[in-house]
Amino acid sequence: MTTNHRIALIPGDGIGAEVLPPAQQVLDVLGRRHGFSLSYTSYDWSCERYLREGAMMPADGIDQLRDKDAILLGAVGYPGVPDHVSLWGLLIPIRRSFRQYVNLRPIRVFEGIDSPVRGARPDEVDIVVVRENAEGEYSEIGGRLNQGTSEELAVQEAVFTRAGVTRIAEYAFSLAARRGGKLTSATKSNGIIHTMPFWDELIAERAAEHPGVTWDQEHIDALAAKFVLDPARFDVVVASNLFGDILSDLAAAVAGSIGIAPAANLNPERDFPSMFEPVHGSAPDIAGQGIANPLGAIWSAAMMLDHLGHPAAARDITDAIASVLAKSDARTRDLGGTATTAEFTDKLIELL
């Protein structure tokens, strides 16, 4: 019997609507090959909806997604809508309502893409940033006082819980054990006096439960420098919400383009649907021109298939990505080529 997966599609804004159709094309090819099917429900939740109706999604939006097996998202953000409005009106409610506390961001330097970093060579740089995705620096606690006066102030509280840090550390150590057996923890305990020493203590606690994993910790400023100077030394990097966000974008730049980078927002217990999205933004400057790089969305779709129990299909996609970059001259503009989104997608599917 063919397995059917119910997928929620949220194209969002800008190029989001241009990169999801290529991902769907690839998914459908792999479904036919590997004996599963996907049924899609599309939602118009976006900044355009916010400008039209005053909300990024309807009040029952979370309930509409609850019975889906996974969520595939394009991009969110548009000029005229503040970024904190679009983020807190859509992505963060989904991540937190569905307890997607793991943000997984892999990055590789592929043959055929010239990294701007001299020491980043193909098949040597293969990093996964495991970002805590539900608390940390991105908390809702705080506020503003005396707005519009000379005494105005803003307070933002970071929240680190034993449960939250322990579960992300456990996920990261388990992942490292399945990969190269090496983990780096991002910290800043020399300057942030409460939360970061707490983070360090809990990371060390979990390390004791994984004696087969070699681990160290790096202050975030030095770690950012080493991502550029010697990216091949890293395997799994675990970081707080803010640090992981920054490091994963930096890693994508090291790999040659943020346009190729995927992300998974995971609920590891599978009590709720997980969400998959390219790291790139909505890129309104190129939206509507048909030149967006679909690789980030396609790689995100591969991560979705792996999560849904189809690892062989996921490998077919990542192998095809590596092949199209190494063996063809098809490149979108962010990778130095002239191919349109459709042309690049056609070449990838041909190789599939």
Side-chain angles (χ1 to χ4, degrees), residues 146-219:
N146 300 325
Q147 293 188 46
T149 73
S150 59
E151 292 81 27
E152 185 172 2
L153 63 88
V155 175
Q156 180 76 47
E157 299 285 355
V159 174
F160 288 71
T161 67
R162 172 171 285 274
V165 178
T166 297
R167 67 190 181 186
I168 197 68
E170 177 61 31
Y171 187 94
F173 274 103
S174 297
L175 178 63
R178 298 193 300 270
R179 284 174 51 94
K182 185 170 60 175
L183 179 141
T184 299
S185 172
T187 186
K188 191 57 182 170
S189 50
N190 61 342
I192 301 176
I193 193 171
H194 298 303
T195 57
M196 284 290 101
F198 181 58
W199 170 278
D200 294 347
E201 291 166 15
L202 297 179
I203 295 292
E205 284 184 13
R206 298 321 302 162
E209 301 297 321
H210 295 271
V213 175
T214 301
W215 75 285
D216 61 3
Q217 62 186 43
E218 295 274 3
H219 292 305

Side-chain angles (χ1 to χ4, degrees), residues 204-272:
E205 284 184 13
R206 298 321 302 162
E209 301 297 321
H210 295 271
V213 175
T214 301
W215 75 285
D216 61 3
Q217 62 186 43
E218 295 274 3
H219 292 305
I220 185 64
D221 42 356
L223 182 54
K226 291 175 183 178
F227 258 42
V228 174
L229 294 173
D230 188 15
R233 67 178 286 186
F234 298 104
D235 182 17
V236 174
V237 179
V238 63
S240 68
N241 213 329
L242 176 62
F243 292 171
D245 198 1
I246 295 169
L247 284 173
S248 53
D249 280 16
L250 175 59
V254 168
S257 172
I258 199 170
I260 70 172
N265 302 275
L266 300 178
N267 171 242
E269 295 79 13
R270 302 172 186 268
D271 296 327
F272 304 99

